[in-house]
Amino acid sequence: MPRVAVIEDDLPTSNQLRSWIEAARPGIVVDQWFSRDEAEAAIARERYDLVVLDIELGRERHAGVAIINAINKKHATPVLVVSAMPATIYRSIMKALDAWDYLQKATFEEADFTDTFLEILRAVKERDKPALDADELAMDPLRQRSPTWRGQRINLPLTAQRILAALFARRGQVVSYEELYEVVKSGRNRDNIRKHVSTIRDAFREIDPAFECIENVPMRGFRWAD
């Protein structure tokens, strides 16, 4: 079974996160740590499949940053940050540190946490398999590294990466709008999906002006055509 670490100094919050995890994946092993020292010692001796992490631990306002750096040096384990720090400021900082995602406390519900958590676990199962690739596109199943096109990095937001992965995984087939709604967390409408696809195309065309692999299928959705 997967092994998960919850690093959170507030006991009720830690127990709540643990209960959500165990409800989502019965039988999963959850270790709870409450300080930077405890967490870093555990990371040094254990190989976790996923770490759920608060940034501020006790009096250390940015203890979580140090822990993420320790994780990246040791195993590059996926990290889901759950913090009260404002997402508008810290989401981009955590992304730069290769954290998987950022949830701001008091702004999400159990379903939001569970969906994100399970998505990471699904990606973890794929991490030992070869990355999705074709002659020219390569994607990291954990999305901790940006996809590359002809060896060059494509700068894409996380939601756009999810849409790209969904299209590429079923290349040659039409992926409907309804199916693409399942990979976005908000803005589940056609206009929003089209905006994300436009972002993807623009990113590809920055390095390959002739890029035409994503086709619009009128009234249905989109298709990756090699």
Side-chain angles (χ1 to χ4, degrees):
M1 291 298 294
R3 190 178 195 96
V4 174
V6 174
I7 304 171
E8 164 63 62
D9 63 337
D10 181 70
L11 180 59
T13 302
S14 178
N15 287 339
Q16 181 178 63
L17 293 173
R18 177 173 184 165
S19 69
W20 288 352
I21 290 169
E22 291 175 338
R25 282 294 301 271
I28 196 170
V29 178
V30 181
D31 293 339
Q32 292 170 274
W33 308 111
F34 301 93
S35 70
R36 174 181 169 180
D37 289 344
E38 284 183 325
E40 289 183 339
I43 289 162
R45 67 175 180 266
E46 300 284 353
R47 179 150 194 161
Y48 290 106
D49 295 284
L50 191 157
V51 172
V52 179
L53 171 69
D54 191 5
I55 297 174
E56 187 173 8
L57 300 174
R59 295 183 179 180
E60 290 192 74
R61 185 171 177 81
H62 295 106
V65 173
I67 293 170
I68 291 175
N69 286 328
I71 290 170
N72 289 341
K73 289 178 183 178
K74 191 72 177 176
H75 300 303
T77 302
V79 176
L80 172 58
V81 180
V82 179
S83 173
M85 303 289 199
T88 52
I89 298 172
Y90 282 88
R91 178 172 284 114
S92 60
I93 296 173
M94 294 301 108
K95 177 66 174 175
L97 292 172
D98 289 330
W100 172 277
D101 210 340
Y102 187 97
L103 297 176
Q104 183 177 338
K105 291 178 181 177
T107 66
F108 66 90
E109 298 180 354
E110 178 179 356
D112 301 314
F113 175 85
T114 300
D115 288 348
T116 304
F117 176 84
L118 292 177
E119 181 182 4
I120 299 174
L121 284 188
R122 284 191 291 269
V124 167
K125 288 183 64 177
E126 299 295 320
R127 68 182 168 186
D128 294 327
K129 297 180 181 179
L132 293 174
D133 60 14
D135 292 338
E136 299 173 314
L137 178 65
M139 298 190 69
D140 176 8
L142 289 178
R143 291 189 286 281
Q144 290 183 293
R145 294 181 296 274
S146 296
T148 60
W149 176 250
R150 297 179 176 174
Q152 297 187 63
R153 179 175 174 173
I154 310 164
N155 294 313
L156 287 174
L158 184 56
T159 298
Q161 289 189 47
R162 290 176 177 140
I163 290 174
L164 175 60
L167 295 174
F168 188 68
R170 292 178 52 192
R171 50 195 178 275
Q173 304 175 42
V174 177
V175 182
S176 70
Y177 284 104
E178 289 71 21
E179 290 169 313
L180 292 174
Y181 294 161
E182 297 302 315
V183 302
V184 300
K185 293 188 176 181
S186 62
R188 294 181 175 181
N189 58 71
R190 296 192 176 199
D191 284 343
N192 194 45
I193 296 295
R194 285 192 285 264
K195 288 177 183 177
H196 285 304
V197 172
S198 178
T199 296
I200 295 169
R201 286 172 171 153
D202 288 345
F204 273 91
R205 287 170 183 163
E206 285 182 6
I207 57 177
D208 180 6
F211 176 81
E212 294 289 349
C213 290
I214 298 178
E215 297 179 345
N216 178 31
V217 182
M219 304 300 295
R220 295 178 62 193
F222 295 90
R223 173 172 53 213
W224 179 280
D226 289 326

